[in-house]
Amino acid sequence: MRTNIVIDDNLIKQAMRVSGLTTKKDVVDRALVEFVQRHTRKDLNELQGKIQFADNYDYKAMRKGR
């Protein structure tokens, strides 16, 4: 989708520098992907008390297999 937006030039330049991306389009695309990923990730605090582990679950034994 083509769209025109006004973005702070200094912010875009800084984003290009820290990301290594070379175009404004790539910077905006990356920012949108990261924004969506961050905001759709389940907050671990919301899961507290909701996960039931099996009675015989032994995480230490599972680590030995690594």
Side-chain angles (χ1 to χ4, degrees), residues 41-53:
R41 198 175 304 135
K42 192 69 173 173
D43 184 4
L44 292 178
N45 290 328
E46 293 177 19
L47 296 176
Q48 186 174 0
K50 296 181 182 178
I51 298 175
Q52 298 280 330
F53 291 103

Side-chain angles (χ1 to χ4, degrees), residues 4-65:
N4 292 325
I5 56 177
V6 177
I7 301 176
D8 182 320
D9 284 333
N10 291 327
L11 187 58
I12 283 287
K13 287 177 186 176
Q14 184 179 5
M16 291 172 75
R17 186 173 55 252
V18 299
S19 69
L21 299 172
T22 57
T23 67
K24 292 178 183 180
K25 179 191 179 305
D26 287 343
V27 169
V28 172
D29 285 345
R30 170 79 60 87
L32 287 171
V33 167
E34 290 182 13
F35 178 87
V36 169
Q37 287 174 344
R38 173 186 277 181
H39 289 286
T40 56
R41 198 175 304 135
K42 192 69 173 173
D43 184 4
L44 292 178
N45 290 328
E46 293 177 19
L47 296 176
Q48 186 174 0
K50 296 181 182 178
I51 298 175
Q52 298 280 330
F53 291 103
D55 292 334
N56 61 347
Y57 177 73
D58 184 2
Y59 71 93
K60 290 182 181 179
M62 294 180 78
R63 286 183 180 172
K64 290 180 184 176

